[in-house]
């Protein structure tokens, strides 16, 4: 009787743990990036690939931070630009009115500064700015999070992206 009980206990233990072992062997569920996030990510990574810089990864914490910020700017600041200088992340923002703004258009607008940037001497053409472009392609940035808000009553849009770690270190080339 003891042998039968012991055998049944061992069989039960093996079956119970086999279920746990199978569950542990399963890969974790895939993380699904929202469509807008994927569009931001794809547009950034196209620009980065053009200059030989590795891809960014979507960071949900950065995306949440940008979402909170654009909603605050929309709801409390009449959709004005946010002050991004005091944060721990790198940041780009764009304000537009009179057009439909998509994540891809936002990034393409920033990347349009590329024509004014000279990599050979890490400079920007006089009377132009290149900082949003160089942040997009900054080689040490690894993570991205972005959001946009549609603002009423002027039908404008404010978009913000955060980068971790930040780029645009004075005196350093982006790539």
């Amino acid at each position: 009787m003891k042998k039968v009980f012991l055998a049944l206990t061992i069989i039960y233990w093996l079956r119970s743990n086999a279920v746990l072992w199978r569950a542990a062997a399963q890969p974790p569920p895939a993380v699904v990036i929202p469509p807008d996030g994927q569009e931001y990510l794809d547009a950034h990574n196209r620009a980065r690939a053009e200059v030989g810089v590795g891809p960014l990864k979507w960071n949900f914490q950065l995306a949440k931070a940008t979402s909170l910020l654009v909603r605050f700017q929309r709801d409390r600041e009449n959709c004005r630009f946010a002050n991004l200088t005091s944060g721990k992340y790198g940041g780009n923002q764009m304000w537009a009115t009179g057009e439909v703004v998509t994540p891809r258009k936002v990034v393409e607008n920033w990347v349009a500064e590329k024509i004014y940037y000279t990599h050979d001497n890490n400079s920007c053409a006089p009377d132009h700015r290149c900082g949003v472009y160089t942040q997009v392609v900054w080689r040490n940035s690894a993570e991205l999070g972005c959001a946009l808000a549609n603002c009423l009553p002027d039908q404008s849009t404010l978009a913000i992206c955060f980068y971790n770690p930040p780029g645009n270190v004075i005196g350093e080339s982006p790539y």
Side-chain angles (χ1 to χ4, degrees):
M1 183 77 161
K2 279 186 175 182
K3 289 182 183 179
V4 171
F5 178 74
L6 181 61
L8 290 174
T9 302
I10 291 171
I11 290 170
Y12 175 77
W13 183 85
L14 289 171
R15 285 187 179 164
S16 298
N17 284 315
V19 169
L20 293 174
W21 293 327
R22 280 194 302 271
Q26 298 292 324
V31 177
V32 178
I33 299 171
D36 279 3
Q38 191 63 55
E39 193 174 336
Y40 277 113
L41 195 58
D42 291 345
H44 274 83
N45 287 337
R46 271 191 300 277
R48 293 169 69 84
E50 286 178 11
V51 296
V53 176
L56 294 168
K57 292 181 180 163
W58 189 253
N59 180 303
F60 288 92
Q61 187 175 9
L62 293 177
K64 183 177 180 180
T66 58
S67 178
L68 291 171
L69 183 56
V70 295
R71 286 183 294 165
F72 176 82
Q73 293 302 121
R74 177 194 66 202
D75 298 342
R76 305 277 189 220
E77 300 294 327
N78 296 318
C79 237
R80 289 189 296 261
F81 272 162
N83 179 357
L84 302 181
T85 59
S86 61
K88 65 180 182 177
Y89 305 118
N92 279 343
Q93 58 188 324
M94 185 186 102
W95 181 85
T97 188
E99 64 181 294
V100 175
V101 176
T102 64
R104 190 183 97 218
K105 278 189 168 186
V106 169
V107 179
E108 287 174 351
N109 179 275
W110 294 333
V111 172
E113 288 184 353
K114 180 180 183 177
I115 63 172
Y116 305 113
Y117 177 71
T118 304
H119 181 258
D120 293 340
N121 62 5
N122 191 30
S123 67
C124 193
D127 300 321
H128 292 282
R129 295 179 186 227
C130 299
V132 292
Y133 167 68
T134 56
Q135 178 59 81
V136 168
V137 298
W138 196 263
R139 73 181 167 279
N140 293 333
S141 292
E143 300 174 315
L144 174 71
C146 304
L148 63 79
N150 294 311
C151 308
L152 300 174
D154 64 355
Q155 304 298 313
S156 64
T157 303
L158 178 64
I160 298 176
C161 288
F162 283 158
Y163 304 82
N164 187 42
N168 288 337
V169 178
I170 295 172
E172 287 187 24
S173 176
Y175 52 92

